Each structure stands twice: as structure tokens, then as C-alpha cells.
Amino acid sequence: MALGRSRMRSRGFIPPKLQMTSMMDMFTILLIFLIISFSEHIVRFRIEGDIRLPSSSAQMDFKERTRLVVLENSLWLGEEKVTEIKDGAVVGLDPNNLKGSILYQRLKKCRREVEQSTDEGKDKNLILFLCDKRLSFKTINNIIKTAGMAGFPNFQFGVLKQ
Amino acid sequence: MLGLRGNRRKSDEDTDLDLVPIMNVFLVMVPLLLTSASFFNLKIINTSVPVLGNSESVIAQESDIKLTVIVELEEEGIRLSALSDEADTEALNQVGTYFAKENTRQYPLDKLSSFLQKLKTQYPKSDTVIIIPEGSIIYDTIIQTMDVARYSNDVQLFPNVVISGKVG
């Protein structure tokens, strides 16, 4: 009698239970990590090439504006490549004739576009400057002087938060 | 025998926690947080290049004297000086000093910080620093010097930073 009853029980279908404990652990850790790295101010722009920004204790957030990017071997204005940098010298930028350079012309053009912009809150003299931390001041000096002459005397030096 | 079996209560049975609603929440929150996650925090330091301007000489009280501190980053050390329309030559000469690089070949930024804090205490109205690096100084060092000159221990020192090349 007893044997017959156990045979009857084994014919019943028992649905498999999905073991979700591991998945819950994984999602919990992922969620905590993403909450910590949540940011209201999302930076999204593309930089061609490798750039290492310096670290700083600066706290100020930046606003998207005209962007000058100085990599180890090239110089970009926004998404457009302006010229190359070789052995620490900007190609086509003569320190004795900064106004004759292509960088100056491009910056002047940018300045005209900014002037025509109807955005009231925008500081029109401001430029976002992203520069590789390994470059010497000799390379940077001529670039910022040119930008100053083209109508962008105020800079926002982009840094990574420490 | 039958009566004993009937005494087994339903509350003695194991109940499984239903994780499906929690998983639903996670499946919504994770993509949302992923789109707004920021792995690199970009901040900015406001600075400017020098521009020509008219300076008027104003007779000011001692507590109102504003100095413009000049920090020259040289190959072997840091040279400090100051400019002011309101202070006399003797006071400006007292500011002039030089911090040589230490044995580790690092710039003595802690000494610079202490000195700037003292200067700020003496001339609280001062808020501008001009940084003049030599050509061989790398950008990272310039940014670190700016950090030291702007803030120290959460105290604001000289928040207006001007960067300039050497003249002459």
C-alpha cells in the first residue's frame, strides 16, 4: 500500500524554482555603484585621440561653449581639427605673427558666430580649454595668446575632479 | 491517525519571498542610472590672459590695500613678488621671496601655500594672482599651482587667476 502511494506522488509535476538570490546580489551591487556615480551634469562630447587632463580640487561645473582642445599631437577647435603639434610646436603658428595663423582665423570666425548668437546668458568672451597635462607651457602660451587676441581672453581650464 | 494529520497547520509551511517585483524595479532603474552615470567628473578653473587697461592710483587705507601676487614658475623654483597701486615699495619688497625646489625635485607647493595664506591674512582684499610659467613647465604643474593659489584648506585665497608668458 505504502509503495503504491509514493509512486502516485512522483507522477505529479513540480515546477522548477528559479534561484534569484545570485542575480539579486549582482543587481544590488550594480545599483549601488550606479547611484554613487550618478551625475546631474552629464558631459558628452567626443575627443579624437588620447588626452590626459590634470586633476584639481576645482568644484565649478562648466557650461558648454566654444571648445579648444590641445592634444599631444594635434589642436582641435570644437569637432574640427585645426593643425598638428610636432615636438611641442604648433604647426603654422608663428610666435612673431600670431594673427597670420590658421588658428587665429578659425577663432575669429568662431567669435563672429558667438557674437551673432542670441543666447543672452552666454559669456561671449569665454572659451573652454582642454589640454593634455603633459604639454609644456611653451606650447600652450602661443595658443592662449592667439585665443586672447581673437576675442577670447577668458578661459575655463578643464580639469578632472580629484 | 487521521486526526493527527489534520492538526498540521498551514502556517508551518515555508513561504517563498516573491522577488519578481523587486527585479522589475531593478530592471527599470539600472538602465536609467546607466544613462546618467558619469565616470569622469569634469570641472573648470576660470582664468584669463592679461589685457591692457587703465589703472588709476587711489589712496587707500591700509586694510583696503589690494595686492596682485605674481607667481613665477621657474625651472629650479618658485619666485614670488607683488604689484599694487596702493601699497608702498617697502611693503611690496617684503612680499618678494624665492622657494627653491626640494631634494626630491618637486616644487615646494606647501611652502607656497603657507606664504600665500599669510599674505592673504595681511591683505584680505587681495584676490588676484598672476602665474608666469617658464616655457619648460608642464601644464599639470601649472594647474597644481593654480589650485594652491586659489584655495587652501577650504579657505579662499586668490580666486582670480591670470596666466601669462614671460615678457622680455
Side-chain angles (χ1 to χ4, degrees), chain A residues 60 62-63 65-70 75 77 103 107 123-131 137 140-158, chain B residues 43-51 139 143 146 150 159-164:
Chain A
M60 214 180 288
F62 82 103
K63 288 181 187 168
R65 41 178 46 94
T66 310
R67 191 166 71 240
L68 191 56
V69 183
V70 187
L75 177 62
L77 184 60
L103 174 64
L107 283 167
D123 185 341
K124 296 177 178 178
N125 299 329
L126 211 46
I127 192 167
L128 177 62
F129 186 73
L130 301 173
C131 179
F137 183 67
I140 301 164
N141 189 23
N142 290 329
I143 298 170
I144 59 176
K145 268 204 272 190
T146 308
M149 285 161 65
F152 294 104
N154 298 328
F155 293 84
Q156 288 187 331
F157 282 8
Chain B
K43 300 291 178 187
I44 52 111
I45 300 174
N46 275 327
T47 186
S48 56
V49 289
V51 288
Y139 184 56
I143 295 291
M146 280 184 185
R150 292 181 314 115
N160 299 331
V161 180
V162 178
I163 187 164
S164 172

Coordinates of all heavy atoms in Angstrom, one line a residue, chain A residues 60 62-63 65-70 75 77 103 107 123-131 137 140-158, chain B residues 43-51 139 143 146 150 159-164:
Chain A
M60 N 33.9 74.0 -9.7 CA 32.9 74.6 -10.6 C 32.5 73.8 -11.8 O 33.4 73.2 -12.4 CB 33.5 75.9 -11.1 CG 32.5 77.1 -11.3 SD 33.4 78.5 -11.9 CE 34.2 79.0 -10.4
F62 N 31.1 73.2 -15.7 CA 31.3 74.1 -16.8 C 30.0 74.1 -17.6 O 29.1 73.3 -17.5 CB 32.4 73.5 -17.7 CG 32.0 72.3 -18.6 CD1 31.8 72.5 -19.9 CD2 31.8 71.1 -18.0 CE1 31.3 71.5 -20.7 CE2 31.3 70.0 -18.8 CZ 31.1 70.2 -20.2
K63 N 29.9 75.1 -18.5 CA 28.8 75.2 -19.4 C 29.3 75.0 -20.8 O 30.4 75.5 -21.2 CB 28.1 76.6 -19.3 CG 27.4 76.7 -18.0 CD 26.7 78.1 -17.9 CE 26.1 78.2 -16.5 NZ 25.7 79.6 -16.2
R65 N 30.4 75.5 -24.3 CA 30.6 76.7 -25.1 C 31.7 76.4 -26.1 O 32.1 75.2 -26.2 CB 31.0 77.9 -24.2 CG 31.9 77.6 -23.1 CD 32.3 78.8 -22.3 NE 31.2 79.6 -22.0 CZ 30.5 79.6 -20.9 NH1 30.8 78.8 -20.0 NH2 29.5 80.4 -20.7
T66 N 32.3 77.4 -26.7 CA 33.4 77.1 -27.7 C 34.5 76.4 -27.0 O 34.9 76.7 -25.9 CB 34.0 78.5 -28.1 OG1 32.9 79.3 -28.6 CG2 34.9 78.3 -29.3
R67 N 35.0 75.3 -27.7 CA 35.9 74.4 -27.0 C 37.2 74.3 -27.8 O 37.2 74.1 -29.0 CB 35.2 73.0 -27.0 CG 35.8 72.0 -26.2 CD 34.9 70.8 -26.0 NE 34.7 70.0 -27.2 CZ 33.6 69.8 -27.7 NH1 32.5 70.3 -27.3 NH2 33.5 69.0 -28.8
L68 N 38.3 74.5 -27.1 CA 39.6 74.4 -27.7 C 40.3 73.2 -27.0 O 40.5 73.2 -25.8 CB 40.4 75.7 -27.4 CG 41.7 76.0 -28.2 CD1 41.5 75.9 -29.7 CD2 42.2 77.3 -27.8
V69 N 40.7 72.2 -27.8 CA 41.3 71.0 -27.3 C 42.7 70.9 -27.8 O 42.9 70.9 -29.0 CB 40.4 69.8 -27.7 CG1 41.0 68.5 -27.0 CG2 39.0 69.9 -27.3
V70 N 43.6 70.7 -26.8 CA 45.0 70.6 -27.2 C 45.5 69.2 -26.8 O 45.6 68.9 -25.6 CB 45.9 71.7 -26.5 CG1 47.3 71.6 -27.0 CG2 45.3 73.1 -26.7
L75 N 45.7 69.9 -32.6 CA 44.9 71.0 -31.9 C 43.5 71.0 -32.6 O 43.4 71.0 -33.8 CB 45.6 72.3 -32.2 CG 45.0 73.6 -31.7 CD1 44.9 73.6 -30.2 CD2 45.9 74.8 -32.1
L77 N 39.4 72.7 -32.6 CA 38.5 73.7 -32.2 C 37.1 73.1 -32.4 O 36.6 72.9 -33.5 CB 38.7 75.0 -33.1 CG 37.8 76.2 -32.7 CD1 38.1 76.7 -31.3 CD2 38.1 77.3 -33.7
L103 N 44.9 79.2 -36.8 CA 44.1 79.1 -35.5 C 43.5 80.5 -35.3 O 42.3 80.5 -34.9 CB 45.1 78.8 -34.4 CG 44.5 78.8 -33.0 CD1 43.5 77.8 -32.8 CD2 45.6 78.6 -31.9
L107 N 39.5 81.0 -34.9 CA 38.9 81.6 -33.7 C 38.1 82.9 -34.0 O 37.1 83.1 -33.3 CB 40.0 81.9 -32.7 CG 40.6 80.6 -32.0 CD1 41.9 81.0 -31.3 CD2 39.6 80.1 -30.9
D123 N 28.4 83.9 -21.8 CA 29.6 84.8 -21.7 C 30.3 84.7 -23.0 O 31.0 83.6 -23.3 CB 30.5 84.5 -20.6 CG 31.6 85.5 -20.4 OD1 31.9 86.2 -21.3 OD2 32.2 85.5 -19.3
K124 N 30.3 85.7 -23.9 CA 30.8 85.6 -25.2 C 32.4 85.6 -25.3 O 32.9 85.3 -26.3 CB 30.2 86.6 -26.1 CG 28.7 86.4 -26.3 CD 28.0 87.5 -27.1 CE 26.5 87.1 -27.1 NZ 25.7 88.0 -27.9
N125 N 33.0 86.0 -24.2 CA 34.5 86.0 -24.2 C 35.1 84.8 -23.6 O 36.3 84.7 -23.5 CB 34.9 87.2 -23.3 CG 34.4 88.5 -23.8 OD1 34.3 88.7 -25.0 ND2 34.2 89.4 -22.9
L126 N 34.3 83.8 -23.3 CA 34.7 82.6 -22.6 C 35.0 81.4 -23.6 O 34.2 81.2 -24.5 CB 33.7 82.2 -21.6 CG 34.1 81.6 -20.3 CD1 35.3 82.2 -19.6 CD2 33.0 81.6 -19.3
I127 N 36.0 80.7 -23.3 CA 36.3 79.5 -24.1 C 36.7 78.4 -23.2 O 37.4 78.6 -22.2 CB 37.4 79.9 -25.2 CG1 37.5 78.8 -26.2 CG2 38.8 80.1 -24.5 CD1 38.4 79.2 -27.4
L128 N 36.2 77.2 -23.5 CA 36.6 76.0 -22.7 C 37.9 75.4 -23.2 O 38.0 75.1 -24.4 CB 35.5 75.0 -22.8 CG 35.7 73.6 -22.1 CD1 35.9 73.8 -20.6 CD2 34.6 72.7 -22.3
F129 N 38.9 75.3 -22.4 CA 40.2 74.9 -22.8 C 40.6 73.6 -22.2 O 40.7 73.4 -20.9 CB 41.2 76.0 -22.3 CG 42.6 75.8 -22.8 CD1 43.0 76.0 -24.1 CD2 43.6 75.4 -21.9 CE1 44.3 75.9 -24.6 CE2 44.9 75.2 -22.4 CZ 45.3 75.4 -23.7
L130 N 40.7 72.6 -23.0 CA 41.1 71.2 -22.6 C 42.4 70.9 -23.1 O 42.6 70.9 -24.3 CB 40.0 70.2 -23.1 CG 38.6 70.4 -22.7 CD1 37.7 69.4 -23.3 CD2 38.5 70.2 -21.1
C131 N 43.4 70.7 -22.2 CA 44.8 70.5 -22.6 C 45.4 69.3 -21.9 O 45.1 69.0 -20.7 CB 45.5 71.8 -22.3 SG 47.3 71.7 -22.7
F137 N 54.4 74.7 -21.1 CA 53.8 76.0 -21.2 C 54.2 76.6 -22.5 O 53.5 77.5 -23.1 CB 54.1 76.8 -20.0 CG 53.5 78.2 -20.0 CD1 52.1 78.3 -19.9 CD2 54.2 79.3 -20.2 CE1 51.5 79.6 -19.9 CE2 53.6 80.6 -20.3 CZ 52.2 80.7 -20.1
I140 N 51.6 75.8 -24.9 CA 50.3 76.4 -24.6 C 50.2 77.9 -24.7 O 49.2 78.5 -25.1 CB 49.9 76.0 -23.1 CG1 49.9 74.5 -23.0 CG2 48.6 76.6 -22.7 CD1 49.9 74.1 -21.5
N141 N 51.4 78.5 -24.4 CA 51.4 80.0 -24.3 C 50.9 80.7 -25.6 O 50.1 81.6 -25.6 CB 52.8 80.4 -24.0 CG 52.9 81.9 -23.6 OD1 51.9 82.5 -23.3 ND2 54.1 82.5 -23.8
N142 N 51.5 80.2 -26.7 CA 51.1 80.8 -28.0 C 49.7 80.6 -28.4 O 49.0 81.4 -29.0 CB 52.0 80.3 -29.1 CG 53.4 80.7 -29.0 OD1 53.7 81.8 -28.5 ND2 54.4 79.9 -29.4
I143 N 49.2 79.4 -27.9 CA 47.8 79.1 -28.2 C 46.8 80.0 -27.5 O 45.9 80.6 -28.0 CB 47.4 77.6 -27.9 CG1 48.3 76.7 -28.8 CG2 46.0 77.3 -28.1 CD1 48.2 75.2 -28.4
I144 N 47.1 80.2 -26.2 CA 46.2 81.1 -25.4 C 46.4 82.5 -25.7 O 45.4 83.3 -25.7 CB 46.3 80.8 -23.9 CG1 47.7 81.1 -23.3 CG2 45.9 79.4 -23.5 CD1 47.8 80.9 -21.8
K145 N 47.6 82.9 -26.2 CA 47.8 84.3 -26.6 C 46.9 84.5 -27.9 O 46.3 85.6 -28.0 CB 49.2 84.6 -26.9 CG 50.0 85.1 -25.7 CD 51.3 85.9 -26.1 CE 52.4 85.0 -26.3 NZ 53.7 85.7 -26.4
T146 N 47.0 83.6 -28.8 CA 46.2 83.7 -30.0 C 44.7 83.8 -29.7 O 44.0 84.6 -30.3 CB 46.5 82.5 -30.9 OG1 47.9 82.3 -31.1 CG2 45.8 82.7 -32.3
A147 N 44.2 83.0 -28.8 CA 42.8 83.0 -28.4 C 42.5 84.3 -27.8 O 41.4 84.9 -28.1 CB 42.5 81.8 -27.4
G148 N 43.3 84.9 -27.0 CA 43.1 86.2 -26.4 C 43.0 87.3 -27.4 O 42.1 88.1 -27.4
M149 N 43.9 87.2 -28.4 CA 43.8 88.2 -29.5 C 42.6 88.1 -30.3 O 42.1 89.1 -30.9 CB 45.1 88.1 -30.4 CG 46.3 88.6 -29.7 SD 47.8 88.0 -30.4 CE 47.8 88.7 -32.0
A150 N 42.1 86.9 -30.5 CA 40.9 86.6 -31.3 C 39.6 87.0 -30.7 O 38.6 86.9 -31.3 CB 40.9 85.2 -31.8
G151 N 39.7 87.4 -29.4 CA 38.5 87.8 -28.7 C 38.0 86.9 -27.6 O 36.9 87.0 -27.2
F152 N 38.9 86.0 -27.2 CA 38.5 85.0 -26.1 C 39.6 85.2 -25.0 O 40.4 84.3 -24.8 CB 38.5 83.6 -26.6 CG 37.4 83.3 -27.6 CD1 37.7 83.1 -28.9 CD2 36.1 83.1 -27.2 CE1 36.7 82.8 -29.8 CE2 35.1 82.8 -28.1 CZ 35.4 82.7 -29.4
P153 N 39.5 86.3 -24.2 CA 40.5 86.5 -23.2 C 40.3 85.6 -21.9 O 41.2 85.5 -21.1 CB 40.5 88.0 -22.9 CG 39.0 88.3 -23.2 CD 38.6 87.4 -24.3
N154 N 39.1 85.1 -21.8 CA 38.7 84.4 -20.6 C 38.6 82.9 -20.9 O 38.0 82.5 -21.8 CB 37.4 84.9 -20.0 CG 37.5 86.3 -19.6 OD1 38.5 86.8 -19.2 ND2 36.4 87.1 -19.8
F155 N 39.3 82.1 -20.0 CA 39.4 80.7 -20.2 C 38.7 79.9 -19.1 O 38.7 80.4 -17.9 CB 40.8 80.2 -20.3 CG 41.5 80.8 -21.5 CD1 42.1 82.0 -21.6 CD2 41.6 80.0 -22.7 CE1 42.7 82.5 -22.7 CE2 42.3 80.5 -23.8 CZ 42.8 81.7 -23.8
Q156 N 38.2 78.8 -19.5 CA 37.8 77.8 -18.4 C 38.7 76.6 -18.7 O 38.6 75.9 -19.7 CB 36.4 77.4 -18.6 CG 35.4 78.5 -18.2 CD 34.0 78.0 -18.2 OE1 33.6 77.1 -19.0 NE2 33.1 78.6 -17.4
F157 N 39.7 76.4 -17.8 CA 40.6 75.3 -17.9 C 39.9 74.0 -17.4 O 39.6 73.9 -16.2 CB 41.9 75.5 -17.1 CG 42.9 76.4 -17.7 CD1 42.6 77.2 -18.8 CD2 44.1 76.6 -17.1 CE1 43.5 78.0 -19.4 CE2 45.1 77.5 -17.7 CZ 44.7 78.2 -18.8
G158 N 39.7 73.1 -18.3 CA 39.0 71.8 -17.9 C 39.9 70.9 -17.1 O 41.0 70.6 -17.6
Chain B
K43 N 35.5 69.4 -14.2 CA 35.3 70.7 -13.6 C 36.2 71.7 -14.3 O 37.0 71.4 -15.1 CB 35.7 70.6 -12.1 CG 34.9 69.6 -11.3 CD 33.5 70.0 -11.1 CE 32.7 68.9 -10.4 NZ 31.3 69.2 -10.3
I44 N 36.0 73.0 -13.9 CA 36.7 74.0 -14.6 C 37.4 75.0 -13.6 O 36.9 75.2 -12.5 CB 35.9 74.8 -15.6 CG1 34.6 75.3 -15.0 CG2 35.5 74.0 -16.8 CD1 34.5 76.8 -14.9
I45 N 38.5 75.6 -14.1 CA 39.1 76.7 -13.3 C 39.0 77.9 -14.2 O 39.5 77.9 -15.4 CB 40.6 76.4 -13.0 CG1 40.7 75.1 -12.2 CG2 41.2 77.6 -12.3 CD1 42.2 74.7 -12.0
N46 N 38.4 79.0 -13.7 CA 38.3 80.2 -14.5 C 39.6 80.9 -14.5 O 40.2 81.2 -13.4 CB 37.2 81.1 -13.9 CG 35.8 80.7 -14.5 OD1 35.7 80.3 -15.6 ND2 34.8 80.9 -13.7
T47 N 40.1 81.3 -15.6 CA 41.3 82.1 -15.7 C 41.3 83.0 -16.9 O 40.4 82.9 -17.7 CB 42.5 81.2 -15.7 OG1 43.7 81.9 -15.6 CG2 42.6 80.4 -17.0
S48 N 42.3 83.9 -17.0 CA 42.2 84.8 -18.1 C 43.7 85.1 -18.5 O 44.6 84.8 -17.8 CB 41.5 86.1 -17.8 OG 42.0 86.6 -16.6
V49 N 43.8 85.7 -19.7 CA 45.1 86.2 -20.1 C 45.1 87.7 -19.8 O 44.1 88.4 -19.8 CB 45.4 85.9 -21.6 CG1 45.7 84.5 -21.8 CG2 44.3 86.4 -22.5
P50 N 46.3 88.3 -19.6 CA 46.3 89.7 -19.3 C 45.9 90.6 -20.5 O 46.1 90.3 -21.6 CB 47.8 90.0 -19.0 CG 48.5 88.9 -19.5 CD 47.6 87.7 -19.6
V51 N 45.1 91.7 -20.1 CA 44.7 92.6 -21.1 C 45.2 94.0 -20.7 O 45.3 94.3 -19.5 CB 43.2 92.6 -21.3 CG1 42.7 91.4 -22.1 CG2 42.4 92.8 -20.0
Y139 N 51.9 71.6 -18.0 CA 50.6 72.1 -17.8 C 50.1 71.5 -16.4 O 49.4 72.3 -15.7 CB 49.7 71.6 -18.9 CG 48.3 72.1 -18.8 CD1 48.0 73.5 -18.7 CD2 47.2 71.2 -18.8 CE1 46.7 73.9 -18.7 CE2 45.9 71.6 -18.8 CZ 45.6 73.0 -18.7 OH 44.3 73.4 -18.7
I143 N 48.5 73.8 -13.3 CA 47.2 73.6 -12.6 C 47.3 73.3 -11.1 O 46.5 73.9 -10.3 CB 46.5 72.3 -13.3 CG1 46.1 72.6 -14.7 CG2 45.2 72.0 -12.5 CD1 45.1 73.7 -15.0
M146 N 47.9 76.6 -9.5 CA 46.6 77.4 -9.5 C 45.8 76.9 -8.3 O 45.1 77.7 -7.6 CB 45.8 77.1 -10.8 CG 46.3 77.9 -12.0 SD 45.1 77.6 -13.4 CE 45.9 78.5 -14.6
R150 N 44.5 79.4 -5.3 CA 43.1 79.7 -5.2 C 42.5 79.4 -3.9 O 41.7 80.1 -3.3 CB 42.3 79.0 -6.3 CG 42.6 79.5 -7.7 CD 41.7 78.9 -8.8 NE 41.7 77.4 -8.6 CZ 40.6 76.7 -8.3 NH1 39.4 77.4 -8.2 NH2 40.6 75.4 -8.2
P159 N 41.2 83.9 -5.8 CA 40.4 83.1 -6.8 C 40.5 83.6 -8.2 O 40.2 82.9 -9.1 CB 38.9 83.4 -6.3 CG 39.0 84.6 -5.5 CD 40.4 84.7 -4.9
N160 N 40.9 84.8 -8.4 CA 41.1 85.3 -9.8 C 42.5 85.0 -10.3 O 43.5 85.5 -9.8 CB 40.9 86.8 -9.8 CG 39.5 87.2 -9.4 OD1 38.6 86.5 -9.5 ND2 39.4 88.4 -8.8
V161 N 42.5 84.1 -11.3 CA 43.8 83.7 -11.8 C 44.0 84.2 -13.2 O 43.2 84.1 -14.0 CB 43.9 82.1 -11.8 CG1 45.2 81.6 -12.4 CG2 43.6 81.6 -10.4
V162 N 45.2 84.8 -13.4 CA 45.6 85.2 -14.7 C 46.9 84.5 -15.1 O 47.8 84.3 -14.2 CB 45.9 86.7 -14.7 CG1 46.4 87.2 -16.1 CG2 44.7 87.5 -14.3
I163 N 46.9 84.0 -16.3 CA 48.1 83.2 -16.7 C 48.8 84.0 -17.8 O 48.1 84.6 -18.7 CB 47.8 81.8 -17.1 CG1 49.0 81.0 -17.4 CG2 46.8 81.8 -18.3 CD1 48.8 79.5 -17.5
S164 N 50.1 84.1 -17.7 CA 50.8 85.0 -18.7 C 52.2 84.4 -19.0 O 52.8 83.7 -18.2 CB 50.9 86.4 -18.1 OG 51.8 87.2 -18.9

